[in-house]
Amino acid sequence: MTQKRVLSGIQPTSDSFHLGNYLGAVKQWVELQDGHDAFYCIVDLHALTGEIEPALLRKRTLASAAQLIALGISPEKSTLFVQSQVPQHNQLGWLMECIAGFGEASRMTQFKDKSSKAGADSARVGLFTYPMLQAADILLYQAHLVPVGEDQRQHIELTRDLAGRFNTRFGETFRVPDNFILKTAAKIQDLQDPAAKMSKSSGSVAGVLEIMDTLEANAKKIKSATTDAGREIKFDEKEKPGISNLLTIHSALSGVAIEKLEVEFEGKGYGDFKSVVADVVVEYLRPIRSAALELLDDEKSLIDILHVGGAKARDVASSTLDLAYKNLGVVR
Ligand code: TYM
């Protein structure tokens, strides 16, 4: 039997991924490499929908590649590539824009959130058409599975709708991907504001655990995380969002079930608990951070890896695009 195809993407929008990116998405990417035909994409074109800083985009694209490899994405097992090196993404993106409704695109909450922050008039058109490019990312590879965190659910739903609509109107062209959102760590919250998700664009640097940050800085952030009223270490997202978030992080990294952690920390105080979580995080990130720094020392080899992935991705993407054009009646 041929292996199922997996596709996912991550934006190179900061110097470091945060723990939410890792636990909500990349950790599953690593697991799915075995037994699947996996394509992982650094979506630099999507990153252009935010502030554009040319020197930073280059640096962050390379840093993303280094971190993905350090986190366990193997360029031998998976196809790791940069979106802009595969022009079919833009080409299919346009086709998606031509079948998406203005109304359904207007309902995308990511656009509503981000554009309301910037003010609707100054939001860029690329931010509005972002989900159609994301649909193209996925459909080009005929992906069965798209491992993402909870915040991407709506974009995956739109992708499924667009694929189904295209197939019905123009003939079988795209695989409609399954939803694949991992429940346990699909939502890692900000350490300072546990009501908000941990996010690259978050205002509070202190609430975001960055993989490339120094180990001391991350330990400090955990020790000063906001905790809740009471003193029990119990998982209760409503009443104890701060402690629940720390339990989720500990459990996802240590592999110990949350119920077991609750028993282990019975009678202990928040301070003791936070210091154990800090140790778990620091020890987990120590080898990853140093592997990423080492990879970044040799840019040429890193770029070579991405070129190999780009060539493999173009092969698959071009045959899907050809089929889509053919079914639309485009002369080839
Ligand atoms: P991005 O770059 O914001 O995030 C990458 C992945 O990390 C997950 N994630 C989280 N998971 C749990 N808790 C959090 N606090 C948290 N923050 C981020 C995201 O769900 C995501 O899976 N639009 C996408 C990028 C993209 C894409 C694609 C994804 C473009 N094309 C095609 C899949 C398939 C995004 O902005 O992810």
mmCIF file of all heavy atoms in Angstrom, residues 7-11 18 20-21 24-25 43 46 110 130 134 137-138 146-152 155 185-188 197-198 200, ligand 1:
data_model
loop_
_atom_site.group_PDB
_atom_site.id
_atom_site.type_symbol
_atom_site.label_atom_id
_atom_site.label_comp_id
_atom_site.label_asym_id
_atom_site.label_seq_id
_atom_site.Cartn_x
_atom_site.Cartn_y
_atom_site.Cartn_z
ATOM 1 N N LEU A 7 0.899 16.955 4.685
ATOM 2 C CA LEU A 7 1.433 18.279 4.329
ATOM 3 C C LEU A 7 1.155 19.233 5.467
ATOM 4 O O LEU A 7 0.042 19.264 6.003
ATOM 5 C CB LEU A 7 0.760 18.788 3.045
ATOM 6 C CG LEU A 7 1.065 20.189 2.473
ATOM 7 C CD1 LEU A 7 0.500 21.344 3.285
ATOM 8 C CD2 LEU A 7 2.550 20.418 2.218
ATOM 9 N N SER A 8 2.175 20.013 5.869
ATOM 10 C CA SER A 8 1.883 21.106 6.781
ATOM 11 C C SER A 8 2.872 22.241 6.557
ATOM 12 O O SER A 8 3.870 22.073 5.850
ATOM 13 C CB SER A 8 1.885 20.645 8.241
ATOM 14 O OG SER A 8 1.154 21.593 9.013
ATOM 15 N N GLY A 9 2.559 23.391 7.151
ATOM 16 C CA GLY A 9 3.408 24.559 6.938
ATOM 17 C C GLY A 9 3.552 25.384 8.203
ATOM 18 O O GLY A 9 2.738 25.294 9.126
ATOM 19 N N ILE A 10 4.616 26.182 8.213
ATOM 20 C CA ILE A 10 4.848 27.081 9.347
ATOM 21 C C ILE A 10 5.439 28.382 8.818
ATOM 22 O O ILE A 10 6.230 28.369 7.872
ATOM 23 C CB ILE A 10 5.765 26.399 10.403
ATOM 24 C CG1 ILE A 10 5.798 27.184 11.708
ATOM 25 C CG2 ILE A 10 7.177 26.155 9.854
ATOM 26 C CD1 ILE A 10 6.230 26.351 12.915
ATOM 27 N N GLN A 11 5.033 29.490 9.404
ATOM 28 C CA GLN A 11 5.518 30.790 8.926
ATOM 29 C C GLN A 11 6.855 31.158 9.572
ATOM 30 O O GLN A 11 7.002 31.013 10.792
ATOM 31 C CB GLN A 11 4.527 31.887 9.323
ATOM 32 C CG GLN A 11 3.171 31.768 8.701
ATOM 33 C CD GLN A 11 2.399 33.065 8.871
ATOM 34 O OE1 GLN A 11 2.755 34.096 8.321
ATOM 35 N NE2 GLN A 11 1.332 33.020 9.653
ATOM 36 N N HIS A 18 7.940 28.996 18.897
ATOM 37 C CA HIS A 18 7.634 28.914 20.326
ATOM 38 C C HIS A 18 7.104 27.517 20.642
ATOM 39 O O HIS A 18 6.872 26.706 19.731
ATOM 40 C CB HIS A 18 6.671 30.025 20.755
ATOM 41 C CG HIS A 18 5.389 30.055 19.982
ATOM 42 N ND1 HIS A 18 4.414 29.099 20.130
ATOM 43 C CD2 HIS A 18 4.922 30.908 19.038
ATOM 44 C CE1 HIS A 18 3.398 29.365 19.331
ATOM 45 N NE2 HIS A 18 3.687 30.467 18.640
ATOM 46 N N GLY A 20 4.304 26.517 21.559
ATOM 47 C CA GLY A 20 2.988 26.216 20.972
ATOM 48 C C GLY A 20 3.135 25.654 19.567
ATOM 49 O O GLY A 20 2.456 24.691 19.195
ATOM 50 N N ASN A 21 4.025 26.234 18.767
ATOM 51 C CA ASN A 21 4.258 25.700 17.424
ATOM 52 C C ASN A 21 4.739 24.253 17.511
ATOM 53 O O ASN A 21 4.326 23.396 16.738
ATOM 54 C CB ASN A 21 5.365 26.482 16.683
ATOM 55 C CG ASN A 21 5.040 27.939 16.440
ATOM 56 O OD1 ASN A 21 5.879 28.811 16.677
ATOM 57 N ND2 ASN A 21 3.846 28.219 15.972
ATOM 58 N N GLY A 24 1.894 22.026 19.373
ATOM 59 C CA GLY A 24 0.640 22.008 18.609
ATOM 60 C C GLY A 24 0.814 21.417 17.219
ATOM 61 O O GLY A 24 -0.144 20.946 16.617
ATOM 62 N N ALA A 25 2.027 21.442 16.682
ATOM 63 C CA ALA A 25 2.177 21.020 15.287
ATOM 64 C C ALA A 25 3.443 20.196 15.041
ATOM 65 O O ALA A 25 3.368 19.018 14.711
ATOM 66 C CB ALA A 25 2.156 22.255 14.384
ATOM 67 N N VAL A 43 6.505 28.567 5.023
ATOM 68 C CA VAL A 43 5.625 29.375 4.163
ATOM 69 C C VAL A 43 6.046 30.850 4.190
ATOM 70 O O VAL A 43 5.412 31.696 4.802
ATOM 71 C CB VAL A 43 4.123 29.170 4.513
ATOM 72 C CG1 VAL A 43 3.683 27.765 4.124
ATOM 73 C CG2 VAL A 43 3.825 29.395 5.985
ATOM 74 N N HIS A 46 3.452 33.439 2.869
ATOM 75 C CA HIS A 46 2.462 33.830 3.881
ATOM 76 C C HIS A 46 3.040 34.852 4.846
ATOM 77 O O HIS A 46 2.338 35.754 5.322
ATOM 78 C CB HIS A 46 1.970 32.603 4.653
ATOM 79 C CG HIS A 46 0.893 31.843 3.944
ATOM 80 N ND1 HIS A 46 1.056 30.569 3.462
ATOM 81 C CD2 HIS A 46 -0.380 32.182 3.626
ATOM 82 C CE1 HIS A 46 -0.061 30.156 2.876
ATOM 83 N NE2 HIS A 46 -0.953 31.124 2.971
ATOM 84 N N GLN A 110 -8.942 34.559 11.440
ATOM 85 C CA GLN A 110 -7.561 35.066 11.485
ATOM 86 C C GLN A 110 -7.479 36.434 10.805
ATOM 87 O O GLN A 110 -6.835 37.356 11.301
ATOM 88 C CB GLN A 110 -6.598 34.084 10.817
ATOM 89 C CG GLN A 110 -5.167 34.597 10.809
ATOM 90 C CD GLN A 110 -4.179 33.573 10.233
ATOM 91 O OE1 GLN A 110 -3.952 32.518 10.795
ATOM 92 N NE2 GLN A 110 -3.599 33.909 9.101
ATOM 93 N N TYR A 130 -4.887 35.226 2.082
ATOM 94 C CA TYR A 130 -4.023 34.244 2.757
ATOM 95 C C TYR A 130 -4.616 32.824 2.790
ATOM 96 O O TYR A 130 -3.943 31.860 2.434
ATOM 97 C CB TYR A 130 -3.775 34.799 4.170
ATOM 98 C CG TYR A 130 -2.947 33.995 5.119
ATOM 99 C CD1 TYR A 130 -1.757 34.526 5.640
ATOM 100 C CD2 TYR A 130 -3.336 32.729 5.563
ATOM 101 C CE1 TYR A 130 -0.995 33.801 6.543
ATOM 102 C CE2 TYR A 130 -2.578 32.015 6.459
ATOM 103 C CZ TYR A 130 -1.412 32.560 6.948
ATOM 104 O OH TYR A 130 -0.656 31.838 7.837
ATOM 105 N N GLN A 134 -3.166 29.186 1.376
ATOM 106 C CA GLN A 134 -2.988 28.029 2.267
ATOM 107 C C GLN A 134 -3.712 26.801 1.689
ATOM 108 O O GLN A 134 -3.190 25.692 1.744
ATOM 109 C CB GLN A 134 -3.506 28.351 3.673
ATOM 110 C CG GLN A 134 -3.358 27.172 4.626
ATOM 111 C CD GLN A 134 -3.465 27.553 6.096
ATOM 112 O OE1 GLN A 134 -3.472 28.739 6.437
ATOM 113 N NE2 GLN A 134 -3.560 26.578 6.963
ATOM 114 N N ASP A 137 -1.517 25.397 -0.873
ATOM 115 C CA ASP A 137 -0.383 24.666 -0.267
ATOM 116 C C ASP A 137 -0.753 23.208 -0.036
ATOM 117 O O ASP A 137 0.035 22.295 -0.269
ATOM 118 C CB ASP A 137 -0.024 25.228 1.128
ATOM 119 C CG ASP A 137 0.419 26.673 1.128
ATOM 120 O OD1 ASP A 137 0.810 27.172 0.063
ATOM 121 O OD2 ASP A 137 0.369 27.297 2.213
ATOM 122 N N ILE A 138 -1.952 23.031 0.464
ATOM 123 C CA ILE A 138 -2.391 21.695 0.883
ATOM 124 C C ILE A 138 -2.802 20.854 -0.326
ATOM 125 O O ILE A 138 -2.380 19.716 -0.495
ATOM 126 C CB ILE A 138 -3.572 21.826 1.875
ATOM 127 C CG1 ILE A 138 -3.105 22.551 3.142
ATOM 128 C CG2 ILE A 138 -4.186 20.462 2.185
ATOM 129 C CD1 ILE A 138 -4.239 23.040 4.042
ATOM 130 N N VAL A 146 -3.388 16.929 7.417
ATOM 131 C CA VAL A 146 -2.768 18.245 7.584
ATOM 132 C C VAL A 146 -2.631 18.497 9.088
ATOM 133 O O VAL A 146 -3.542 19.027 9.723
ATOM 134 C CB VAL A 146 -3.633 19.346 6.927
ATOM 135 C CG1 VAL A 146 -2.879 20.676 6.916
ATOM 136 C CG2 VAL A 146 -4.027 18.968 5.512
ATOM 137 N N PRO A 147 -1.516 18.086 9.688
ATOM 138 C CA PRO A 147 -1.385 18.250 11.142
ATOM 139 C C PRO A 147 -1.152 19.718 11.529
ATOM 140 O O PRO A 147 -0.133 20.307 11.167
ATOM 141 C CB PRO A 147 -0.161 17.384 11.499
ATOM 142 C CG PRO A 147 0.612 17.264 10.222
ATOM 143 C CD PRO A 147 -0.364 17.391 9.096
ATOM 144 N N VAL A 148 -2.104 20.281 12.222
ATOM 145 C CA VAL A 148 -2.038 21.686 12.649
ATOM 146 C C VAL A 148 -2.633 21.828 14.045
ATOM 147 O O VAL A 148 -3.338 20.940 14.520
ATOM 148 C CB VAL A 148 -2.842 22.616 11.703
ATOM 149 C CG1 VAL A 148 -2.156 22.789 10.357
ATOM 150 C CG2 VAL A 148 -4.267 22.110 11.515
ATOM 151 N N GLY A 149 -2.366 22.956 14.661
ATOM 152 C CA GLY A 149 -2.991 23.281 15.944
ATOM 153 C C GLY A 149 -4.421 23.772 15.735
ATOM 154 O O GLY A 149 -4.859 24.043 14.605
ATOM 155 N N GLU A 150 -5.114 23.871 16.853
ATOM 156 C CA GLU A 150 -6.534 24.237 16.860
ATOM 157 C C GLU A 150 -6.820 25.541 16.094
ATOM 158 O O GLU A 150 -7.842 25.678 15.422
ATOM 159 C CB GLU A 150 -6.969 24.364 18.328
ATOM 160 C CG GLU A 150 -8.391 24.783 18.574
ATOM 161 C CD GLU A 150 -9.397 23.774 18.045
ATOM 162 O OE1 GLU A 150 -9.168 22.558 18.195
ATOM 163 O OE2 GLU A 150 -10.410 24.218 17.475
ATOM 164 N N ASP A 151 -5.894 26.510 16.175
ATOM 165 C CA ASP A 151 -6.152 27.815 15.548
ATOM 166 C C ASP A 151 -6.274 27.745 14.026
ATOM 167 O O ASP A 151 -6.740 28.696 13.412
ATOM 168 C CB ASP A 151 -5.070 28.832 15.955
ATOM 169 C CG ASP A 151 -3.678 28.401 15.517
ATOM 170 O OD1 ASP A 151 -3.423 27.184 15.405
ATOM 171 O OD2 ASP A 151 -2.844 29.282 15.269
ATOM 172 N N GLN A 152 -5.865 26.636 13.426
ATOM 173 C CA GLN A 152 -5.924 26.532 11.961
ATOM 174 C C GLN A 152 -7.164 25.791 11.461
ATOM 175 O O GLN A 152 -7.336 25.573 10.268
ATOM 176 C CB GLN A 152 -4.660 25.834 11.433
ATOM 177 C CG GLN A 152 -3.391 26.623 11.675
ATOM 178 C CD GLN A 152 -3.432 27.977 10.983
ATOM 179 O OE1 GLN A 152 -3.744 28.083 9.807
ATOM 180 N NE2 GLN A 152 -3.153 29.034 11.734
ATOM 181 N N HIS A 155 -9.207 27.358 8.605
ATOM 182 C CA HIS A 155 -8.531 27.352 7.298
ATOM 183 C C HIS A 155 -8.583 25.963 6.645
ATOM 184 O O HIS A 155 -8.700 25.854 5.423
ATOM 185 C CB HIS A 155 -7.072 27.803 7.445
ATOM 186 C CG HIS A 155 -6.934 29.270 7.715
ATOM 187 N ND1 HIS A 155 -5.756 29.835 8.156
ATOM 188 C CD2 HIS A 155 -7.813 30.290 7.601
ATOM 189 C CE1 HIS A 155 -5.933 31.136 8.305
ATOM 190 N NE2 HIS A 155 -7.173 31.433 7.984
ATOM 191 N N ALA A 185 -2.331 18.629 22.967
ATOM 192 C CA ALA A 185 -1.523 19.847 23.092
ATOM 193 C C ALA A 185 -1.837 20.822 21.974
ATOM 194 O O ALA A 185 -1.007 21.614 21.564
ATOM 195 C CB ALA A 185 -0.051 19.489 23.089
ATOM 196 N N ALA A 186 -3.077 20.757 21.474
ATOM 197 C CA ALA A 186 -3.405 21.571 20.310
ATOM 198 C C ALA A 186 -3.473 23.053 20.660
ATOM 199 O O ALA A 186 -3.531 23.898 19.786
ATOM 200 C CB ALA A 186 -4.703 21.107 19.689
ATOM 201 N N LYS A 187 -3.483 23.364 21.959
ATOM 202 C CA LYS A 187 -3.611 24.767 22.340
ATOM 203 C C LYS A 187 -2.698 25.046 23.523
ATOM 204 O O LYS A 187 -2.990 24.666 24.645
ATOM 205 C CB LYS A 187 -5.060 25.028 22.772
ATOM 206 C CG LYS A 187 -5.753 26.048 21.901
ATOM 207 C CD LYS A 187 -7.213 26.021 22.152
ATOM 208 C CE LYS A 187 -7.719 27.318 22.749
ATOM 209 N NZ LYS A 187 -9.123 27.203 23.124
ATOM 210 N N ILE A 188 -1.581 25.665 23.259
ATOM 211 C CA ILE A 188 -0.693 26.067 24.338
ATOM 212 C C ILE A 188 -0.941 27.565 24.557
ATOM 213 O O ILE A 188 -0.957 28.350 23.612
ATOM 214 C CB ILE A 188 0.790 25.805 23.960
ATOM 215 C CG1 ILE A 188 1.004 24.320 23.642
ATOM 216 C CG2 ILE A 188 1.725 26.291 25.062
ATOM 217 C CD1 ILE A 188 0.771 23.361 24.792
ATOM 218 N N LYS A 197 -3.797 32.474 23.327
ATOM 219 C CA LYS A 197 -2.875 31.419 22.888
ATOM 220 C C LYS A 197 -1.456 31.960 22.849
ATOM 221 O O LYS A 197 -1.241 33.160 22.635
ATOM 222 C CB LYS A 197 -3.290 30.862 21.520
ATOM 223 C CG LYS A 197 -3.059 31.803 20.361
ATOM 224 C CD LYS A 197 -3.208 31.093 19.011
ATOM 225 C CE LYS A 197 -2.876 32.094 17.898
ATOM 226 N NZ LYS A 197 -2.946 31.579 16.554
ATOM 227 N N MET A 198 -0.483 31.072 23.063
ATOM 228 C CA MET A 198 0.921 31.451 22.922
ATOM 229 C C MET A 198 1.122 31.796 21.449
ATOM 230 O O MET A 198 0.778 30.998 20.574
ATOM 231 C CB MET A 198 1.822 30.294 23.344
ATOM 232 C CG MET A 198 3.280 30.675 23.449
ATOM 233 S SD MET A 198 4.326 29.330 24.099
ATOM 234 C CE MET A 198 3.996 29.401 25.846
ATOM 235 N N LYS A 200 3.342 34.170 18.232
ATOM 236 C CA LYS A 200 4.477 34.982 17.787
ATOM 237 C C LYS A 200 4.141 36.465 17.828
ATOM 238 O O LYS A 200 5.000 37.295 18.018
ATOM 239 C CB LYS A 200 4.841 34.610 16.339
ATOM 240 C CG LYS A 200 5.478 33.253 16.213
ATOM 241 C CD LYS A 200 5.722 32.895 14.754
ATOM 242 C CE LYS A 200 4.740 31.831 14.302
ATOM 243 N NZ LYS A 200 5.167 31.073 13.129
HETATM 244 P P1 TYM B 1 1.778 29.291 12.178
HETATM 245 O O1 TYM B 1 3.076 29.545 11.499
HETATM 246 O O2 TYM B 1 1.131 30.395 12.916
HETATM 247 O O3 TYM B 1 1.929 28.091 13.210
HETATM 248 C C1 TYM B 1 2.509 26.842 12.855
HETATM 249 C C2 TYM B 1 1.766 25.724 13.566
HETATM 250 O O4 TYM B 1 1.795 25.920 14.969
HETATM 251 C C3 TYM B 1 0.480 25.808 15.523
HETATM 252 N N1 TYM B 1 0.367 26.715 16.680
HETATM 253 C C4 TYM B 1 -0.076 26.351 17.894
HETATM 254 N N2 TYM B 1 -0.490 25.169 18.368
HETATM 255 C C5 TYM B 1 -0.847 25.107 19.664
HETATM 256 N N3 TYM B 1 -0.804 26.165 20.515
HETATM 257 C C6 TYM B 1 -0.395 27.376 20.089
HETATM 258 N N4 TYM B 1 -0.337 28.396 20.938
HETATM 259 C C7 TYM B 1 -0.010 27.509 18.710
HETATM 260 N N5 TYM B 1 0.451 28.538 17.960
HETATM 261 C C8 TYM B 1 0.672 28.036 16.716
HETATM 262 C C9 TYM B 1 -0.446 26.236 14.388
HETATM 263 O O5 TYM B 1 -1.716 25.699 14.545
HETATM 264 C C10 TYM B 1 0.275 25.672 13.175
HETATM 265 O O6 TYM B 1 -0.097 24.331 12.949
HETATM 266 N N6 TYM B 1 -1.537 29.425 8.429
HETATM 267 C C11 TYM B 1 -0.529 28.600 9.076
HETATM 268 C C12 TYM B 1 0.650 28.259 8.203
HETATM 269 C C13 TYM B 1 0.302 27.533 6.933
HETATM 270 C C14 TYM B 1 -0.128 26.182 6.835
HETATM 271 C C15 TYM B 1 -0.265 25.941 5.446
HETATM 272 C C16 TYM B 1 -0.388 25.183 7.771
HETATM 273 C C17 TYM B 1 0.365 28.022 5.678
HETATM 274 N N7 TYM B 1 0.043 27.075 4.781
HETATM 275 C C18 TYM B 1 -0.674 24.695 4.982
HETATM 276 C C19 TYM B 1 -0.793 23.935 7.290
HETATM 277 C C20 TYM B 1 -0.944 23.704 5.906
HETATM 278 C C21 TYM B 1 0.015 29.394 10.255
HETATM 279 O O7 TYM B 1 -0.096 30.588 10.329
HETATM 280 O O8 TYM B 1 0.743 28.658 11.140
#
